[in-house]
Structures are given as structure tokens and as C-alpha cells.
Amino acid sequence: MDRRERLLRSLADGRFHSGQSLAATQGVSRTVIWKQIQQLAESDLDVYAVRGRGYRLAQPIELLDAGAIRAQLAPSTARRLTALELHFQIDSTNRRLLELAAVSAIAGHVCLAEFQSAGRGRRGRGWVSPPGSGIYLSLGWSFDAPPESLTGLSLAAGVAALRALRRLQIDAVGLKWPNDIVVGERKLGGILIEVRGETTGPCTVAAGVGVNVELPERAARRIDQPWIDLARAGYRPSRNLLAAALIDELVRVFSEYEERGFAACAEEWRRYDCVTGRMVRLMSGSYTLTGRMLGIDDSGALLLSVDGAVRRFTTGEISLRMDA
Ligand code: BTN
């Protein structure tokens, strides 16, 4: 086990632990413990050091446990899962799956991490992923279809995430096209679908989901858009239960997508959508335009009313116009 992982396990209860007791349990010197604490802090975790009392995390953390996650999966999910790997640290769970995909099949392969050092977001952004503070999960899948048939898949993955959250009574969540998971106008989570394959199919997909559970202040300072986490929204779910629910619902939605495409969940997406009717700014490629969101069509494309005409977009990102 990674040294920092062992240290995080000792500190996970959120109580004070003296440098001396940590050093004794880990069989290292207090100076080594102090250095490891610095490393944890560099990974953006808030660790308090108080003279005479020792070290403690700003908040307790429920660490992920592959056995606990597996035990919560529906039998139909378990049947389709080919692997569940849990890393303490990784650069990006999506990148890991794509690397695997170059040499083997990844359908049904789940990759989870406590900490991503180079988490990827949409449109070339990063995804802030400090240890134990979110869910960083990727599922590999294979579709016997060409990549263009997967345009609605990222919206379908959003529906899966909403189902999972609602299963845990996290109801105050919605979707913002194409697949931002939001609470009010703040981003709670996001989905990154990366596709590899020939134009004629089949194709391999790494579907990554990130959900902010309880972000340390210092990590949150690096987020460049309005954000929220489950704790600040008033929810404290078990991270293991949330991970299992996400895996279950992703597998279910992807299986439905294999059969019926996006049509299987278009109505449900519309129920979770919290932007239709609002004025938005769309950024797509090199251009930006403003219009009123009319909703989505049955393939998941965005319908915008721009200067009286209805226009359809399959890629891009929208931001809400506060002045309208
Ligand atoms: C977005 O920008 O909205 C998408 C964020 C996706 C983040 C998740 S975390 C797990 C997976 N691995 C990554 O590197 N990114 C995705």
C-alpha cells in the first residue's frame, strides 16, 4: 500500500492523531510522517496540524472499498462487469481505460480512484480530484455501431448519474445540456465520454463520471466555474453506495442504449433538464452565440431559438445568461 494511502487511512476518522502515534503505526520517524502530511496537503487535502495534539483532516472521509462496492451492485450489473479496479492515485481513470483499450477489451471494466493527479474535464479542461473528496469513476463499454450513433450517449450517461443520485435521495439535482450535473446553477458533477473506433464501427467508449462529494477549500479554489458539492448541498451519502449506484445505473443505461439508442431515455433527460426556456450563451468550436433554449431533439441535439430561427447543435457548452 502506498505510504500516503496508509496515512490517509489513519486520518480518515477526522480525529486528531499525534505524530508519534502515526509514526509508531507506520514504522517510520515523525519527520517522515511530517513529510507525508506535506504531500497530502500538496494533493489539495486540508490537513490541520496543531501543536500538542497532532494532525487531523478538516473532515472525516469514507474511503472507497472495492468489496463494499461490489456487494451493493445489482446482479444484472455484476453479470456485465468484467473488472473493478480501485486505485489510490492515478492520473486519470478515463486515460487508464483508453490505455487498456489499446491492448484489450474494456467492455464492463470499471476504474475508480481516490485521487486523480490529472483528472480530465470536457473541452480540454482539468477536473479537480483531491483524495477522498469525490467520486472519480470510469466505465468501459463497447458498441457494435459507428461513433456517430453515439451522439446521445453522453446525455444518456447524465440520466444514469441522475438516477443514481436520486436513488440515494439526492433530489435537488438536475442536468444542464449536454450532461453537467447541477444543483441550482452550480456544477456538482460532470461526464466525459471518450470514444475510439473506426468510422464504420464498432467502437470502444470510456465513460467518466466525476461527482464532488466534499471538496477541501484549497482544492475548490482551483475551480474556474460556479461549483457545489454534496456536503454543501446538504447531502452526506456513503461514497461506496454512491459509486455502486453510479456503476449500476451506467450499466443499465448503456444496455438500454445498445437496444434503443438515446430515444430510450430522452423523455427522462427532459424531466431532469433545468435550462429549457432560459436564455443561454452557446460556445461551440470557435464561435459563441446567444439564444433561448428550446430543449433537445430525440437524438440529444440542442435546439436553440436564435433571432427567430430554430437552430440545432450537437456539440458545445452552454452558460446561462444572468440578464435574461
Ligand atoms: C466535465 O468537464 O464536466 C467532465 C468531468 C469528468 C470528470 C471525470 S472524473 C473520472 C473520469 N476521469 C477523468 O479524467 N475525467 C472523468
Side-chain angles (χ1 to χ4, degrees), residues 1-174:
M1 198 189 291
D2 182 291
R3 281 243 168 101
R4 277 170 320 154
E5 180 176 357
R6 249 195 289 160
L7 182 61
L8 189 58
R9 283 193 184 282
S10 304
L11 294 173
D13 59 10
R15 302 219 177 101
F16 271 111
H17 295 264
S18 69
Q20 198 173 8
S21 70
L22 291 169
T25 31
Q26 313 240 358
V28 294
S29 69
R30 284 165 63 177
T31 318
V32 170
I33 292 294
W34 183 80
K35 283 194 185 130
Q36 288 172 5
I37 294 276
Q38 301 307 308
Q39 283 176 359
L40 276 183
E42 276 158 26
S43 63
D44 268 349
L45 209 56
D46 294 331
V47 192
Y48 299 138
V50 175
R51 194 181 288 275
R53 300 198 69 187
Y55 305 102
R56 81 166 176 85
L57 297 178
Q59 61 258 341
I61 287 179
E62 179 200 338
L63 291 169
L64 294 175
D65 174 335
I69 295 172
R70 270 188 186 281
Q72 294 297 330
L73 296 175
S76 55
T77 305
R79 275 197 295 277
R80 296 210 67 169
L81 230 59
T82 51
L84 191 152
E85 53 178 75
L86 170 57
H87 299 262
F88 176 66
Q89 175 177 353
I90 200 164
D91 49 1
S92 150
T93 55
N94 260 36
R95 193 213 51 78
R96 159 80 182 146
L97 281 191
L98 292 174
E99 176 190 71
L100 272 178
V103 292
S104 64
I106 58 162
H109 193 120
V110 169
C111 179
L112 277 155
E114 287 289 3
F115 168 42
Q116 292 187 122
S117 54
R120 298 185 192 179
R122 291 180 66 234
R123 300 172 70 75
R125 290 206 186 97
W127 188 257
V128 171
S129 316
S133 313
I135 299 291
Y136 321 121
L137 161 93
S138 298
L139 170 69
W141 209 257
S142 162
F143 289 90
D144 197 11
E148 79 246 21
S149 65
L150 299 184
T151 48
L153 189 70
S154 73
L155 281 82
V159 168
L162 265 271
R163 284 186 192 170
L165 290 161
R166 293 168 88 96
R167 237 167 82 174
L168 275 69
Q169 277 83 49
I170 300 167
D171 295 322
V173 281

Side-chain angles (χ1 to χ4, degrees), residues 275-289:
V275 182
T276 290
R278 301 275 309 259
M279 288 298 287
V280 297
R281 181 170 290 125
L282 171 81
M283 283 148 288
S284 184
S286 57
Y287 63 87
T288 301
L289 50 82

Side-chain angles (χ1 to χ4, degrees), residues 201-219:
C203 43
T204 297
V205 166
V209 183
V211 178
N212 301 329
V213 174
E214 185 162 15
L215 292 181
E217 293 290 344
R218 63 158 70 213

Side-chain angles (χ1 to χ4, degrees), residues 214-232:
E214 185 162 15
L215 292 181
E217 293 290 344
R218 63 158 70 213
R221 272 183 236 127
R222 294 197 290 114
I223 304 180
D224 60 0
Q225 53 185 326
W227 64 274
I228 193 161
D229 58 25
L230 287 173
R232 287 167 175 89

Side-chain angles (χ1 to χ4, degrees), residues 152-162 179 191 193 207 209 250 253-254 265:
L153 189 70
S154 73
L155 281 82
V159 168
L162 265 271
N179 54 19
I191 287 158
I193 303 271
V209 183
L250 279 170
V253 160
F254 285 6
C265 57

